[in-house]
Structure formats: structure tokens, C-alpha cells
């Protein structure tokens, strides 16, 4: 089955700086890669996703890049703000009904 | 729309007790799933369903049972609780399977003593 590894497990950045989280996956058949943000006491919420037919996708201050050859994808948050502090999860899946999540990254944005 | 509603929010069980975690969604989603979240391990899929009357196992199904009698509801049953089942449980639904945006509930925090 799919195995998704996520790094780093914790990330502390100064407000206004950029944050980058990286994930690798093992199954070359995986073609869907979402990112979820989880705030304290809440369920995860989708913030951006990418499919394997594109290499990059951007939505305001967040962007995701995908390298299919190397089997890794990354989340980039620019101009970080205190409300970006949360736990972020990457995930990967092939066509079907199972999605495998990474272990999560706790991001702290210091004012 | 309420989205995905999970009850209860918190539960404490003794080893060997049984209970049912409730999940309901009002978005007419065919796909529903249960995950458990443990520190450093992300979310692991327990069971999922692609429609009423259809369920299948995920990554960690042992000790859990599910049924899907209606589109809206997908309860998760713990048959005989064990301390290893102490976790936060999330229910999620989507319109098009796991490879479409999942809508999560706010979770049930379960402690088994």
C-alpha cells in the first residue's frame, strides 16, 4: 500500500516569513495529493489539492508543487500570519477510496 | 447545512465495554469514512463506505464494526474496548470518494481505561 512521510514534524517561523512542508510517497500509482489544516479542537479542513497531471498549483498565499519522478510534493506558505499556526497534513491516494496521510507538521508562527 | 456531525465529543470507557460513535452528514455524500488520529501517526483509515449498504475495511479495522443503512449515517462500533483504542476519531464524507475533498467532523476523543 501507499506510504506517505512528512517533514518536518514541527516548524517555527517568524511572522512574514515563508514555511515549507515536504512529503514523499511510495506508490507511483498515486495521483491525488491534498493538504489539510487542522486547528485545535477541530477536524482537518482541505486547503489545497493537486492532481498528478499538473506540477504546481497556487491559491493566494499557499502553493503546492509536485515532482512525480522523485515522488515528492511540498506545501509553501508565504507571508505567514499568526492564523496560519495549526497542524498541517499531506496525503496521497490513487484512484479509489483510500487516502494515506502523513504524520503531520505542527506550524507555529511567532509574531 | 450542518456538514458532518459527530457525537459524543468526549467519551471514557472501561476495558471491555462497547459503544457506538455516531456520524451524520447532510450533504448527500455517497462516500463516508472513519479515521483515528494518534500523535505522530497522522490519520489512519478504519472503515469506509461508498454508499448505503456497502462498507469496506481500511488500514486499521480490527476491533471496529460499521454499517451504512442510510446515506446520512455511518456509525462506528467498538465491540470490546481496549486501551489501544484510546484516540481521537474523525468521520469524513465526500461526494466522489477519497480522491475528492473530504469534509471532516470535529472528532470524538475516546479514552479507554
Amino acid at each position: 500500500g501507499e506510504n506517505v512521510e512528512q517533514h518536518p514534524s514541527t516548524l517555527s517561523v517568524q511572522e512574514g516569513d515563508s514555511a515549507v512542508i515536504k512529503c514523499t510517497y511510495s506508490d507511483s500509482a498515486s495521483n491525488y495529493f491534498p493538504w489539510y489544516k487542522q486547528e485545535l479542537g477541530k477536524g482537518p479542513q482541505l486547503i489545497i489539492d493537486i492532481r498528478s497531471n499538473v506540477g504546481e498549483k497556487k491559491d493566494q498565499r499557499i502553493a503546492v508543487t509536485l515532482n512525480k519522478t522523485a515522488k515528492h510534493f511540498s506545501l509553501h506558505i508565504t507571508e505567514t500570519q499568526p492564523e496560519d499556526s495549526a497542524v498541517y497534513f499531506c496525503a496521497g491516494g490513487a484512484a479509489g477510496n483510500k487516502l494515506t496521510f502523513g504524520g503531520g507538521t505542527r506550524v507555529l508562527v511567532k509574531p | 447545512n450542518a456538514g458532518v456531525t459527530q457525537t459524543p465529543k468526549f467519551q471514557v470507557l472501561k476495558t471491555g465495554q462497547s459503544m457506538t460513535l455516531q456520524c451524520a452528514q447532510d450533504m448527500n455524500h455517497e462516500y463516508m469514512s472513519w479515521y483515528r488520529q494518534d500523535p505522530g501517526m497522522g490519520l489512519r483509515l478504519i472503515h469506509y463506505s461508498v454508499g448505503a449498504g456497502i462498507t469496506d475495511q481500511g488500514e486499521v479495522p480490527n476491533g471496529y464494526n460499521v454499517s451504512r443503512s442510510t446515506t446520512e449515517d455511518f456509525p462506528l462500533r467498538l465491540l470490546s474496548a481496549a486501551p489501544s483504542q484510546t484516540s481521537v476519531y474523525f468521520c469524513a464524507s465526500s461526494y466522489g470518494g477519497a480522491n475528492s475533498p473530504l469534509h471532516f467532523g470535529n472528532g470524538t476523543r475516546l479514552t479507554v481505561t
Side-chain angles (χ1 to χ4, degrees):
Chain A
E2 175 66 280
N3 182 46
V4 176
E5 295 194 356
Q6 183 172 346
H7 299 281
S9 56
T10 59
L11 180 59
S12 182
V13 297
Q14 208 63 40
E15 183 177 356
D17 287 351
S18 294
V20 180
I21 304 170
K22 298 183 179 181
C23 290
T24 60
Y25 63 99
S26 60
D27 188 352
S28 56
S30 287
N31 57 8
Y32 176 64
F33 305 95
W35 286 88
Y36 286 84
K37 176 183 180 183
Q38 184 179 27
E39 297 177 342
L40 197 62
K42 300 279 184 71
Q45 187 170 13
L46 181 75
I47 54 172
I48 195 167
D49 57 8
I50 191 168
R51 297 190 186 271
S52 58
N53 56 345
V54 298
E56 184 173 358
K57 185 175 178 181
K58 199 171 181 180
D59 183 3
Q60 299 183 337
R61 295 187 296 107
I62 60 172
V64 58
T65 58
L66 172 64
N67 183 325
K68 285 170 53 181
T69 304
K71 295 204 200 88
H72 67 71
F73 56 112
S74 300
L75 178 72
H76 304 253
I77 307 173
T78 58
E79 300 172 22
T80 53
Q81 300 168 3
E83 54 263 37
D84 295 328
S85 295
V87 179
Y88 293 80
F89 292 98
C90 64
N97 295 298
K98 296 182 180 179
L99 197 63
T100 301
F101 283 81
T105 297
R106 184 174 299 277
V107 174
L108 175 63
V109 179
K110 295 185 283 188
Chain B
N1 283 352
V4 178
T5 302
Q6 289 184 241
T7 56
K9 291 188 189 303
F10 302 94
Q11 183 70 50
V12 179
L13 290 178
K14 292 190 189 312
T15 297
Q17 286 184 317
S18 63
M19 79 157 295
T20 299
L21 280 64
Q22 302 291 345
C23 175
Q25 52 91 9
D26 61 359
M27 297 172 283
N28 204 32
H29 286 168
E30 290 294 331
Y31 178 85
M32 295 186 75
S33 54
W34 277 101
Y35 288 86
R36 61 177 288 172
Q37 183 176 26
D38 301 294
M41 301 186 73
L43 295 122
R44 292 183 292 167
L45 182 64
I46 305 171
H47 285 287
Y48 65 95
S49 167
V50 299
I54 306 168
T55 63
D56 206 347
Q57 296 182 349
E59 183 185 351
V60 288
N62 292 342
Y64 307 96
N65 208 351
V66 291
S67 60
R68 185 96 180 268
S69 55
T70 67
T71 300
E72 295 77 22
D73 300 299
F74 190 44
L76 177 73
R77 276 180 283 279
L78 279 70
L79 308 172
S80 177
S84 60
Q85 294 179 303
T86 294
S87 188
V88 182
Y89 291 85
F90 288 98
C91 178
S93 72
S94 79
Y95 63 85
N99 294 342
S100 8
L102 290 171
H103 297 256
F104 284 86
N106 283 331
T108 294
R109 183 175 292 275
L110 176 69
T111 302
V112 183
T113 60

